[in-house]
Amino acid sequence: MNVLVIGSGGREHAIVWKVSKSRHIDKIYCCPGNAGISELAECINFDDNNFGALVDFVKYEGIDLTIVGPEVPLSKGIADVFEKEGRKILGPNMEAAQLEGSKVFAKDLMRRYGIPTAEYKAFTSCLHAEDYVGMKGAPIVIKADGLAAGKGVIVAETVDEAINGLRLIMKDRAFGDAGNRVIVEECIHGEEASFMAFTDGKTILPMVSSQDHKRVFDGDNGPNTGGMGAYSPAPVITEKLESIIMEKVMRPMIRGLQSEGIKYKGILYAGLMIKNNQPYVLEFNCRLGDPETQPVFSRLKTDLIDIALAIIDEKLSDINLEWKPDASVCIVIASKGYPGVYEKGKIITGLDDVKKMNDAFVFHAGTAFNNNKLVTSGGRVLGVTALGKDIKDAKDWAYMAIEKINFNGMHYRKDIADRAIKRQ
Ligand SMILES: Nc1ncnc2c1ncn2[C@@H]1O[C@H](COP(=O)(O)OP(=O)(O)O)[C@@H](O)[C@H]1O
Ligand SMILES: [Mg+2]
């Protein structure tokens, strides 16, 4: 089979890497990909918003399956275009992808189907939202309704901060139309975890649990990022909690969507806050997490193409997911300045030494070739991922691999997975 993967980050490198191990694979394409991905796939440079041109390419090259990494093309309806042309694609259609694309849509569904989430109210008027914030007091959370590349949420410690957030989103329109509506919601204190599942709209197969590290600095300090590292499993998600999450969150959401007449096929990702051993949904995503995919797919034994085809054909109940018992840790190395304005074009060395290590793998994110030299080209550059007999072991291997890697201005957290290790 020929497979196309859409996207260019560490998540997509992990998808391509997993696809490359499939017994079905002939050739992999990636649009647009990155330097690491280009070792496994032919990278093509299409405008990934021009779905018509992409689907023509897929027909011309005889591509049998397309897997979509990021949320933006899904929200813009890439799956609808491909399905209309009779092409197999993994990812929900535009209607279903609203679950991530509109926080108001998602919260209203959660309320309607009794899924535990923070108490909230949606607003189209900044003034009304400000009044509500004044009434509720702080801490309080402000969320732009639409996609904002992970920047549209303000966890406000004071009323002033919340009001500034509202004005930034609704008046200054920092995120454009994504700020036409906002959610103001109760702040929940607890431990965050990511719960991802494959679903064909009927059967839900949960993946192993994982946890991300959002803040840029050790000890969860500094501004939010796309994610500085992740590990799997997340000890906070015990077996008992997993069955609670399936019962209270995942099944009601898929059933709820069904009764709304929406078929949800692809990946369903619940961003959770765990408080008193109970899950509260912060948000749903309609795609895999980045960097959670790197440690989670490192543990996945089942052929990803078998899973993708079963989802598309609505036969997911035939699949039995198998996982390596090992733990996995992924540490993100970022460019100087990230998550603010960051440097680019720095030469990266040492990856050949990591290749000699067993059970350590470097997933590329912002990398490119310049005159045949591997250079940085993004904020998050590499996701150094290792397996181990437990999380401590995996962490030690990952940091050992990082020792071999170098580029000017590189920075990474030194405490990835420490919380899980303390728990074990
Ligand atoms: N109700 C809440 N209480 C406390 N923290 C929250 C709440 N909602 C979101 N957060 C924090 O803000 C981050 C981003 O919110 P989220 O809803 O996941 O939006 P997005 O990923 O689209 O930016 C979360 O990872 C969490 O740390
Ligand atoms: Mg989130």
Side-chain angles (χ1 to χ4, degrees):
M1 281 180 71
N2 298 327
V3 174
L4 167 67
V5 175
I6 308 273
S8 65
R11 166 183 53 207
E12 286 75 22
H13 194 184
I15 296 171
V16 166
W17 171 79
K18 187 64 193 151
V19 165
S20 75
K21 299 194 173 306
S22 168
R23 64 193 160 93
H24 301 287
I25 202 70
D26 292 314
K27 180 159 185 187
I28 313 175
Y29 298 82
C30 188
C31 175
N34 60 35
I37 290 174
S38 73
E39 290 180 10
L40 300 169
E42 180 178 332
C43 293
I44 53 169
N45 222 333
F46 271 93
D47 172 4
D48 52 8
N49 286 311
N50 187 345
F51 304 149
L54 260 180
V55 92
D56 284 346
F57 177 79
V58 159
K59 286 181 189 167
Y60 184 78
E61 295 290 331
I63 291 169
D64 306 285
L65 168 69
T66 299
I67 301 178
V68 186
E71 62 279 13
V72 171
L74 291 168
S75 290
K76 289 185 175 164
I78 190 171
D80 307 66
V81 172
F82 273 60
E83 277 161 16
K84 196 158 152 258
E85 297 290 330
R87 292 287 154 172
K88 289 185 193 289
I89 186 162
L90 180 67
N93 63 23
M94 193 163 157
E95 197 181 28
Q98 287 179 84
L99 200 56
E100 173 163 5
S102 165
K103 293 198 191 284
V104 176
F105 176 86
K107 291 289 281 194
D108 288 352
L109 276 181
M110 287 187 248
R111 179 179 277 164
R112 204 169 309 145
Y113 296 101
I115 295 166
T117 187
E119 188 209 320
Y120 73 102
K121 217 164 146 69
F123 294 93
T124 50
S125 145
C126 192
L127 271 182
H128 290 168
E130 287 182 29
D131 285 348
Y132 182 75
V133 164
M135 190 180 84
K136 285 284 172 185
I140 196 152
V141 182
I142 310 293
K143 298 186 172 185
D145 175 47
L147 294 181
K151 298 192 171 73
V153 171
I154 296 136
V155 181
E157 297 299 332
T158 64
V159 168
D160 278 350
E161 204 184 322
I163 287 176
N164 287 339
L166 283 171
R167 290 180 184 166
L168 180 77
I169 295 169
M170 302 193 87
K171 291 231 164 89
D172 305 344
R173 304 186 59 75
F175 311 108
D177 285 348
N180 287 348
R181 293 189 288 181
V182 292
I183 295 275
V184 180
E185 74 178 34
E186 166 204 4
C187 186
I188 302 181
H189 296 283
E191 185 168 346
E192 281 189 70
S194 307
F195 196 87
M196 304 193 286
F198 297 106
T199 180
D200 60 0
K202 298 176 290 193
T203 303
I204 307 167
L205 295 184
M207 298 183 214
V208 288
S209 60
S210 56
Q211 205 165 38
D212 185 7
H213 296 65
K214 282 275 163 214
R215 302 299 190 98
V216 68
F217 300 129
D218 287 13
D220 292 330
N221 290 306
N224 263 336
T225 68
M228 293 300 289
Y231 56 87
S232 171
V236 64
I237 306 214
T238 57
E239 229 168 274
K240 179 156 176 247
L241 190 52
E242 177 178 326
S243 64
I244 295 175
I245 294 165
M246 286 299 286
E247 228 29 71
K248 290 194 169 173
V249 175
M250 306 302 272
R251 287 197 190 100
M253 183 43 85
I254 290 299
R255 262 191 242 122
L257 284 161
Q258 246 172 10
S259 49
E260 304 277 322
I262 298 174
K263 181 163 277 172
Y264 191 102
K265 288 164 71 168
I267 279 94
L268 180 60
Y269 165 136
L272 303 170
M273 190 70 91
I274 311 296
K275 182 182 163 186
N276 301 331
N277 284 316
Q278 290 297 319
Y280 295 85
V281 178
L282 300 181
E283 64 162 350
F284 283 104
N285 292 326
C286 63
R287 38 79 193 173
L288 292 158
D290 187 351
E292 295 95 317
T293 305
Q294 290 83 313
V296 168
F297 274 19
S298 301
R299 298 182 57 203
L300 179 59
K301 290 207 294 200
T302 316
D303 190 313
L304 184 60
I305 293 187
D306 284 334
I307 301 171
L309 294 176
I311 292 172
I312 292 164
D313 297 339
E314 296 175 33
K315 288 185 177 150
L316 194 58
S317 57
D318 293 349
I319 298 279
N320 184 17
L321 289 187
E322 287 187 88
W323 302 93
K324 291 185 182 168
D326 316 56
S328 179
V329 172
C330 167
I331 297 151
V332 170
I333 310 182
S335 295
K336 185 173 180 186
Y338 179 80
V341 179
Y342 53 78
E343 298 181 339
K344 284 186 190 177
K346 303 294 173 195
I347 291 172
I348 305 167
T349 58
L351 296 193
D352 286 339
D353 292 333
V354 180
K355 274 191 184 144
K356 292 177 198 142
M357 290 174 67
N358 283 332
D359 287 342
F361 195 85
V362 180
F363 293 112
H364 290 226
T367 66
F369 285 112
N370 187 0
N371 291 327
N372 285 327
K373 289 217 160 63
L374 182 68
V375 297
T376 65
S377 67
R380 291 192 292 173
V381 178
L382 302 167
V384 181
T385 308
L387 291 167
K389 64 180 184 328
D390 54 26
I391 291 181
K392 164 105 180 38
D393 194 36
K395 176 195 153 172
D396 290 346
W397 282 112
Y399 279 107
M400 225 179 305
I402 285 189
E403 290 294 307
K404 302 179 192 295
I405 299 171
N406 194 40
F407 63 84
N408 202 296
M410 71 183 236
H411 68 94
Y412 55 91
R413 280 180 62 161
K414 312 286 188 301
D415 66 343
I416 300 299
D418 282 357
R419 182 189 289 175
I421 293 164
K422 270 188 214 123
R423 235 175 220 283
Q424 273 187 335

